[in-house]
């Protein structure tokens, strides 16, 4: 038997015929999503990273609420916005969830398990969309709970110190909490997309950290005219516009910030989809 025939036979044993794996079950999108869910919850790093993220959101929110007004806290500029004080840990927590997104995609390339995944789902794109759906749902639910917990705990601390507080029913507060969950989820999806694009864990983490944390600081070193033109459109600054109750004059509106952040996600995920389809595993 020729080498080509042997290769075809091996492929049929792995994937079956007519899109069916060897077990005889048809490959459907719900099954792909379930597969990605199993992979996500089976990783110990998932539990650790999500726990760290929740701890950062709530813990730093409590810390900032305890220090603000004392002259020692980093949130002095937000003293008039109790919600932003309570959500002070969101930006740092986004680093942890972004790393988790990278591990969910680039981690498979590092271990080589991506070959088995793509052999089971030859059309490939359902794998990416399955990862996106599973990650987005799990992350958004947990991050919203974390943001809500940070807000309630932070307002309790501020109230005990006889300082101004905010309520969930106040204008813009619920939007800010939802925006915090959206940003944290989006940061993870950015990490997931970059992981697929680069297929290298260290390189993807470095790229995401640079884009979300280093680049905003570098832009501030540019002339003010450049900073004003570029700064508001960076991913983290755009996100800050829709997860803040009050926005400064040089930042985007909440709706514009959300639109800009969504464009980053769409472009990165679209690029990841194109390269996943075209490149070999």
């Amino acid at each position: 038997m020729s080498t080509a025939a042997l290769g075809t036979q091996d492929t049929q044993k792995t994937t079956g015929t007519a899109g069916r794996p060897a077990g005889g079950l048809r490959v459907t999108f719900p099954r792909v999503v379930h597969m990605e869910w199993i992979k996500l919850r089976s990783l110990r790093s998932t539990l650790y990273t999500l726990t760290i993220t929740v701890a950062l959101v709530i813990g730093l929110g409590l810390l900032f609420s305890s220090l603000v007004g004392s002259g020692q806290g980093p949130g002095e500029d937000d003293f008039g916005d109790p919600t932003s004080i309570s959500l002070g840990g969101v930006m740092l927590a986004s680093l942890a969830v972004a790393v988790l997104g990278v591990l969910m995609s680039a981690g498979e390339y590092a271990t080589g398990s991506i070959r088995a995944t793509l052999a089971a789902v030859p059309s490939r794109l359902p794998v990416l969309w399955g990862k996106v759906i599973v990650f987005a749902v799990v992350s958004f639910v947990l991050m919203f709970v974390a943001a809500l917990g940070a807000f309630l705990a932070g307002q309790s601390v501020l109230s005990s110190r006889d300082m101004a507080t905010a309520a969930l029913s106040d204008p813009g507060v619920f939007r800010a909490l939802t925006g915090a969950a959206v940003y944290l989820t989006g940061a993870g999806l950015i990490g997931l997309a970059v992981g697929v694009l680069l297929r290298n864990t260290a390189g993807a983490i470095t790229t995401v950290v640079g884009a979300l944390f280093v680049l905003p600081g570098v832009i501030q070193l540019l002339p003010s005219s450049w900073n004003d033109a570029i700064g508001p459109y960076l991913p983290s600054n755009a996100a800050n516009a829709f997860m803040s109750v009050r926005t400064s004059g040089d930042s985007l509106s909440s709706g514009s910030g959300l639109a800009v952040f969504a464009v980053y996600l769409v472009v990165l995920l679209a690029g990841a989809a194109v390269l996943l389809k075209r490149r070999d595993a």
Side-chain angles (χ1 to χ4, degrees):
M1 184 179 294
S2 67
T3 303
L6 287 172
T8 301
Q9 186 179 39
D10 290 341
T11 301
Q12 289 177 345
K13 288 179 180 179
T14 302
T15 62
T17 59
R20 296 175 187 270
L25 294 176
R26 185 176 181 82
V27 177
T28 63
F29 187 64
R31 288 194 175 110
V32 174
V33 172
H34 185 248
M35 175 184 70
E36 293 301 329
W37 162 243
I38 292 174
K39 288 193 286 187
L40 180 65
R41 64 183 175 86
S42 298
L43 293 173
R44 247 180 296 182
S45 59
T46 300
L47 176 61
Y48 296 156
T49 307
L50 290 175
T51 301
I52 290 172
T53 305
V54 172
L56 286 172
V57 173
I58 298 178
L60 290 178
L62 281 171
L63 177 62
F64 294 164
S65 299
S66 300
L67 294 178
V68 71
S70 65
Q72 303 175 20
E76 301 300 322
D77 293 338
D78 293 326
F79 182 74
D81 187 356
T83 303
S84 293
I85 297 171
S86 297
L87 298 179
V90 169
M91 284 299 177
L92 184 58
S94 64
L95 173 60
V97 75
V99 169
L100 178 60
V102 170
L103 294 177
M104 188 175 179
S105 55
E108 285 200 69
Y109 286 97
T111 61
S113 61
I114 189 65
R115 298 186 186 93
T117 298
L118 297 183
V121 189
S123 56
R124 297 192 173 195
L125 290 185
V127 173
L128 177 60
W129 306 137
K131 289 181 184 295
V132 169
I133 289 175
V134 170
F135 186 90
V137 171
V138 172
S139 178
F140 181 80
V141 171
L142 288 178
M143 295 307 105
F144 182 78
V145 171
L148 180 60
F151 172 78
L152 295 176
Q155 299 311 300
S156 177
V157 171
L158 292 175
S159 177
S160 68
R161 299 174 59 204
D162 295 325
M163 299 180 68
T165 60
L168 279 174
S169 57
D170 291 346
V173 171
F174 187 79
R175 173 183 55 77
L177 298 182
T178 305
V182 168
Y183 172 60
L184 289 169
T185 302
L189 292 177
I190 288 175
L192 191 154
V194 173
V196 175
L197 289 169
L198 300 185
R199 304 196 295 184
N200 180 278
T201 304
I205 291 175
T206 302
T207 301
V208 172
V209 170
L212 295 181
F213 296 94
V214 179
L215 189 58
V218 173
I219 294 297
Q220 290 183 353
L221 301 177
L222 297 177
S224 58
S225 58
W226 292 22
N227 185 18
D228 294 341
I230 301 174
Y233 297 94
L234 297 178
S236 55
N237 292 342
N240 192 59
F242 64 75
M243 65 178 189
S244 298
V245 175
R246 304 175 185 177
T247 57
S248 58
D250 57 350
S251 63
L252 300 174
S253 65
S254 58
S256 298
L258 180 60
V260 170
F261 192 70
V263 168
Y264 279 108
L265 289 177
V266 171
V267 170
L268 287 172
L269 289 172
V274 170
L275 291 185
L276 179 64
K277 192 73 174 177
R278 292 183 177 180
R279 294 188 302 199
D280 293 334

